[in-house]
Amino acid sequence: MAIRTVVWGENIHENTNAIVRGIYAEGMHTTIANALNADPSISATTATLQEPE
């Protein structure tokens, strides 16, 4: 059974700061989730402030 987790990020700096956006084009939360998903025993998704729920 996989460990299910949600990586939550405000996603503010990626949208307001060009330097951060250049480093984390898909957001810091996505970078972290992708790293976690490299382990087959982890299932990571993301959520941000811009999402309605």
Side-chain angles (χ1 to χ4, degrees):
M1 175 170 28
I3 297 169
R4 296 185 306 164
T5 186
V6 176
V7 179
W8 185 85
E10 292 179 348
N11 202 35
I12 303 278
H13 295 93
E14 296 91 328
N15 290 319
T16 60
N17 186 305
I19 294 171
V20 176
R21 186 172 36 256
I23 297 169
Y24 301 105
E26 297 181 68
M28 288 182 245
H29 54 286
T30 301
T31 302
I32 294 167
N34 288 343
L36 291 171
N37 283 324
D39 183 331
S41 67
I42 299 174
S43 174
T45 59
T46 63
T48 65
L49 281 176
Q50 292 79 21
E51 295 178 27
E53 291 289 325

